[in-house]
Amino acid sequence: PSSDCVMAEQLCLSDSTCNATYRTLENCALAKTRLLSLDHDSRVRCLNAELDLGNSSLLHCKCHRRMKRQEHCLRIFWTVHSSMTDGYLNLETSPYENSANEEHWKTDYNKLAALVSGMNCNGSQLAGDATNPCLRATHICNLSKKCFRLRTDYASICTKGAASEDVCDRRKCHRGLRNFFEKVPEDFTKRILFCPCQDEFCGERRRKTIVPDCSFQYNTKPNCLWLLDSCLEDHICKSRLADFQQNCQPVMSPDGCSLHNHAACLQAYMGMIGTPMTPNYVSNSSVEVSLWCTCENSGNQKEKCDQILGMFESNKCL
């Protein structure tokens, strides 16, 4: 059985029984997307259709964060698992496969790091980068054509309108950010995003990695429940949130987080960047991160709202 949802869908559609069941699930998912309330019989029919898939490859398929038809793949996943989205924090099954550790990325980074180090020794304009790891990580990115191109792309999109009263195109900015974090090897992107700082100048550069004026901040902080609703309406954001919940759930251990999950949690955190629930560092003097939202005026949903904010502000895995 194929683990790729796009392949699994093709196999299902070629079988008349599976095809009919899948079409039922598509209608169920469509009703949820349009926020239509299903009557009891319809809900049972939808749940039974999901169960009817049994052990088919469609029920157990996954997607890859760097695949070409990612949005299509995620739509298939949530069509098959539409019953999982009934309530908040029911997204703990990630649609993404665990990515393999690709050692050659580290080799590429280390070669470029050595090059920058050599340039420093020769007294070039890069001298002194060692005091600002974030600046050094940026210089190393600039030596990689792909890293430089995609970083320049999102920076130019996300800074449009910054010097005037024009509002930047947040959707395009988010897409540019996702492109950067999906297509550039993680060894580059992690070092830019998680560079260790000893002073506020370095911290401010780190905070502005994702161009907060466009991608993160609004003029006024929206309610976190609104951010969640925006996320659940978007297949990519909903998927990244599910991945984040699965890999960054605090557990019973000495430090409150599963040791083998630290790398997966950081990868899942990076996946949230470029979505309606984009997190960021809150200041230039700490590593505290948060969503740009508030839980004021949440009424009887205050506890739910605090949970959303707490996933980032009080998460021991981060």
Side-chain angles (χ1 to χ4, degrees), residues 141-153 180 184:
C141 170
N142 291 345
L143 292 173
S144 161
K145 288 182 181 179
K146 191 172 194 177
C147 191
F148 174 73
R149 175 173 57 81
L150 290 173
R151 183 174 170 273
T152 302
D153 284 352
F180 177 73
V184 174

Side-chain angles (χ1 to χ4, degrees), residues 38-294:
L38 298 174
D39 58 38
H40 175 72
D41 289 346
S42 297
R43 290 171 66 86
V44 170
R45 187 166 61 250
C46 293
L47 197 55
N48 284 341
E50 195 171 313
L51 294 172
D52 284 344
L53 288 177
N55 290 318
S56 77
S57 57
L58 197 56
L59 191 62
H60 301 285
C61 70
K62 294 279 188 176
C63 302
H64 304 278
R65 188 174 280 121
R66 293 169 180 258
M67 68 189 297
K68 286 185 178 179
R69 301 179 67 189
Q70 183 184 164
E71 288 192 56
H72 178 64
C73 185
L74 295 173
R75 181 186 62 75
I76 297 166
F77 179 89
W78 292 114
T79 294
V80 175
H81 297 283
S82 62
S83 65
M84 287 167 50
T85 61
D86 277 345
Y88 171 63
L89 291 184
N90 280 353
L91 300 176
E92 286 148 14
T93 299
S94 171
Y96 291 111
E97 277 194 328
N98 291 329
S99 59
N101 185 22
E102 300 191 39
E103 288 295 327
H104 67 272
W105 289 354
K106 293 182 180 178
T107 305
D108 290 345
Y109 182 92
N110 290 335
K111 283 180 182 176
L112 294 174
L115 177 59
V116 168
S117 179
M119 293 168 76
N120 282 340
C121 292
N122 295 331
S124 76
Q125 61 179 353
L126 298 182
D129 285 352
T131 61
N132 189 336
C134 292
L135 197 60
R136 186 166 183 268
T138 302
H139 283 314
I140 294 171
C141 170
N142 291 345
L143 292 173
S144 161
K145 288 182 181 179
K146 191 172 194 177
C147 191
F148 174 73
R149 175 173 57 81
L150 290 173
R151 183 174 170 273
T152 302
D153 284 352
Y154 86 73
S156 63
I157 295 167
C158 297
T159 51
K160 282 180 180 176
S164 66
E165 294 181 358
D166 295 337
V167 178
C168 75
D169 190 327
R170 183 170 279 109
R171 187 179 290 271
K172 282 187 178 178
C173 174
H174 281 166
R175 193 184 306 130
L177 277 165
R178 289 201 309 273
N179 264 342
F180 177 73
F181 284 103
E182 285 175 20
K183 295 180 180 178
V184 174
E186 280 180 15
D187 208 55
F188 289 89
T189 55
K190 278 183 178 175
R191 290 178 197 241
I192 288 176
L193 190 64
F194 303 125
C195 44
C197 289
Q198 301 296 324
D199 59 64
E200 292 191 4
F201 176 74
C202 176
E204 182 67 3
R205 186 174 189 89
R206 180 174 60 192
R207 191 181 77 85
K208 290 188 172 178
T209 294
I210 65 163
V211 198
D213 288 346
C214 181
S215 61
F216 177 66
Q217 295 170 202
Y218 295 76
N219 290 331
T220 57
K221 282 189 176 183
N223 189 281
C224 298
L225 296 169
W226 178 83
L227 274 193
L228 178 65
D229 287 343
S230 300
C231 184
L232 296 180
E233 290 171 5
D234 180 278
H235 281 129
I236 287 183
C237 188
K238 180 165 63 174
S239 301
R240 302 297 172 82
L241 182 60
D243 196 49
F244 181 81
Q245 287 180 357
Q246 176 177 298
N247 291 301
C248 296
Q249 283 281 17
V251 295
M252 295 299 290
S253 68
D255 68 346
C257 188
S258 174
L259 287 174
H260 69 275
N261 252 6
H262 276 139
C265 178
L266 290 182
Q267 183 185 48
Y269 171 85
M270 290 167 67
M272 296 301 300
I273 296 171
T275 72
M277 288 181 72
T278 293
N280 197 17
Y281 296 98
V282 295
S283 74
N284 57 12
S285 57
S286 78
V287 291
E288 182 186 351
V289 297
S290 181
L291 297 173
W292 183 261
C293 63
T294 178

